Amino acid sequence: MGSGPARGEWLRSRTRRTGPRALAAGRVDGRSRTAGERGRMKPLPGCLPCILHQTLQVARSVSDDEWSQRKVLNEVLRALPDAEWHQSSPAELLADAIASARGTLKVRAPYADLRAQVGEVFAGLAEDLRARAGQEADPFAFLVTAAAAANLVDELVFARFARKDPTQVFEQALAQGFAVGSVDVLRETVERAQTVVYFLDNAGEAQIDALLVEHLRGLGKTVFVAVRGGGLLHDATPEDALAAGLAPPSTADPAPASPGDAERGSPNDGAPVFSEPGAEQTPESASDDPAPRALPWLIELPFGELGVSAVARSTDLGAALERADLVLAKGSANYETLRADRECFFLLRAKCGPVAASLAVPQGSLVLHHVKAPEARASEPASV
């Protein structure tokens, strides 16, 4: 017998214990989460080959040794049949597969070299887009569409564009615009909002997201930026966010306003005081002070978590979401896992069949998916 984990061990264990994996799987001490606590999307059969493909890419990024690659895949293949698919999102299953690969390969951060290369591509693109946004009649619509069009790093990393210029692919998506969703509806929602939580997705495209975050701040919005804690594929970490040019609100440059945008004061007017990222925090419930405690503007999610789990909500993210009027979430993993208890817009490229089918759009489409706040949904008349 090999030295790898027993059949299904790394996935079954996440339903037997408390902690990040147990919570992400939907069970704490054997109790299932309620429907409202679960992710938004459940795995389909088509998710299985994608999980295996991405796991293989992780192995290939670390080692050219075919024996090591087969070992990684065999461990995942032994585990997946025993996974409780009805309690996990595709992103959560993939996160566990990547964790298994990291353990086998003894590497903490796969794709380290490739991340730098992708970052260089998007840095040049962001510089060009910044100049173009200043000349656009509607820079808000331009930057929102650009943020979604930039959600192609997965395909770039997995060499699907090996014979295509990624900048050309981006420009084509930008010109085509959204297959579903309304920028005007988002604009109206932004006008009503004061506090925004913005979820980054991939490291390279964070360069483009930074332009939209700056624009929101220029409209007087308080923006919390959520990033991954590392250990995944090419997802944006705090280091990636800072490298992309995201800065504390006090030093951020205001973005050009769209025609008709009202002056709304400085980015920090009426906003909660920001603390330094990583500063020790006191739980809000433990304080007698009615004023909200300071939160870091850059919020780091737990290491190895793909998407938004219950564990992530137990961090500063949960407090930020409680204060938010609006959530903007990039990418498929956030779409698959984020439970919308606030007004939420998902910006993504529907890169895979299951995600595209769930959104009723052709694969590869740009999507601006709007999920209304629960109270707004409750007030709508029932359909006949």
Side-chain angles (χ1 to χ4, degrees):
M1 297 294 290
S3 59
R7 177 178 173 84
E9 181 62 26
W10 58 269
L11 275 171
R12 285 202 306 269
S13 64
R14 72 203 292 266
T15 65
R16 288 203 307 259
R17 66 177 189 268
T18 58
R21 286 287 157 255
L23 287 168
R27 286 179 178 265
V28 180
D29 294 332
R31 293 179 289 104
S32 296
R33 289 185 302 201
T34 65
E37 292 173 319
R38 292 174 183 159
R40 303 188 65 256
M41 180 177 169
K42 299 306 171 190
L44 297 175
C47 297
L48 176 58
C50 181
I51 291 171
L52 294 175
H53 174 68
Q54 296 198 52
T55 305
L56 176 59
Q57 294 303 318
V58 170
R60 285 175 172 171
S61 74
V62 175
S63 173
D64 294 329
D65 180 58
E66 292 186 359
W67 183 89
S68 296
Q69 295 170 8
R70 284 195 298 269
K71 180 177 174 61
V72 168
L73 288 177
N74 284 336
E75 291 178 356
V76 174
L77 283 168
R78 284 197 299 267
L80 282 172
D82 291 332
E84 297 189 5
W85 289 63
H86 65 289
Q87 291 185 340
S88 303
S89 68
E92 289 165 339
L93 292 175
L94 176 59
D96 278 334
I98 295 170
S100 175
R102 284 200 315 268
T104 301
L105 298 167
K106 296 180 173 55
V107 61
R108 183 174 175 86
Y111 289 122
D113 295 337
L114 192 55
R115 291 165 70 92
Q117 298 174 27
V118 172
E120 291 177 3
V121 171
F122 278 89
L125 182 59
E127 185 176 350
D128 175 64
L129 291 174
R130 183 188 296 276
R132 289 163 60 182
Q135 300 172 359
E136 287 285 332
D138 189 351
F140 177 78
F142 177 77
L143 291 174
V144 169
T145 309
N151 187 227
L152 51 78
V153 178
D154 304 75
E155 294 155 299
L156 177 63
V157 169
F158 297 145
R160 295 179 187 175
F161 295 154
R163 298 183 180 180
K164 295 183 180 180
D165 179 0
T167 302
Q168 180 182 1
V169 176
F170 168 84
E171 291 291 348
Q172 290 173 348
L174 182 62
Q176 291 172 356
F178 290 107
V180 64
S182 169
V183 174
D184 287 334
V185 172
L186 174 58
R187 190 198 317 274
E188 293 171 1
T189 307
V190 168
E191 289 175 353
R192 297 192 303 268
Q194 175 57 45
T195 302
V196 179
V197 174
Y198 194 111
F199 286 88
L200 299 185
D201 187 21
N202 295 311
E205 70 190 70
Q207 306 270 357
I208 316 301
D209 293 317
L211 302 179
L212 181 53
V213 170
E214 288 177 10
H215 189 89
L216 293 171
R217 287 173 171 171
L219 298 177
K221 309 305 175 184
T222 298
V223 184
F224 293 100
V225 179
V227 294
R228 307 284 184 226
L232 296 166
L233 298 174
H234 35 73
D235 299 78
T237 63
E239 294 76 16
D240 296 316
L242 296 175
L246 283 164
S250 59
T251 60
D253 295 327
S258 303
D261 284 334
E263 290 295 332
R264 298 180 181 275
S266 71
N268 289 324
D269 285 350
V273 177
F274 288 102
S275 67
E276 290 296 325
E280 184 175 351
Q281 300 292 334
T282 302
E284 291 188 352
S285 59
S287 174
D288 295 329
D289 188 348
R293 67 178 173 87
L295 293 172
W297 68 272
L298 186 61
I299 297 175
E300 182 177 353
L301 305 187
F303 180 87
E305 292 288 339
L306 189 59
V308 185
S309 69
V311 172
R313 285 177 173 270
S314 70
T315 66
D316 286 327
L317 175 64
L321 288 172
E322 284 294 321
R323 300 178 192 179
D325 307 302
L326 171 64
V327 175
L328 297 177
K330 288 289 301 294
S332 297
N334 287 321
Y335 166 71
E336 293 171 13
T337 60
L338 180 58
R339 176 171 51 90
D341 49 9
R342 290 290 185 273
E343 194 94 355
C344 183
F345 287 81
F346 294 94
L347 294 84
L348 67 147
R349 185 180 174 101
K351 295 182 284 286
C352 72
V355 168
S358 74
L359 291 162
V361 298
Q363 189 170 342
S365 299
L366 293 192
V367 174
L368 180 59
H369 180 59
H370 181 202
V371 177
K372 296 180 180 179
E375 57 270 20
R377 296 196 297 268
S379 64
E380 292 179 345
S383 58
V384 179

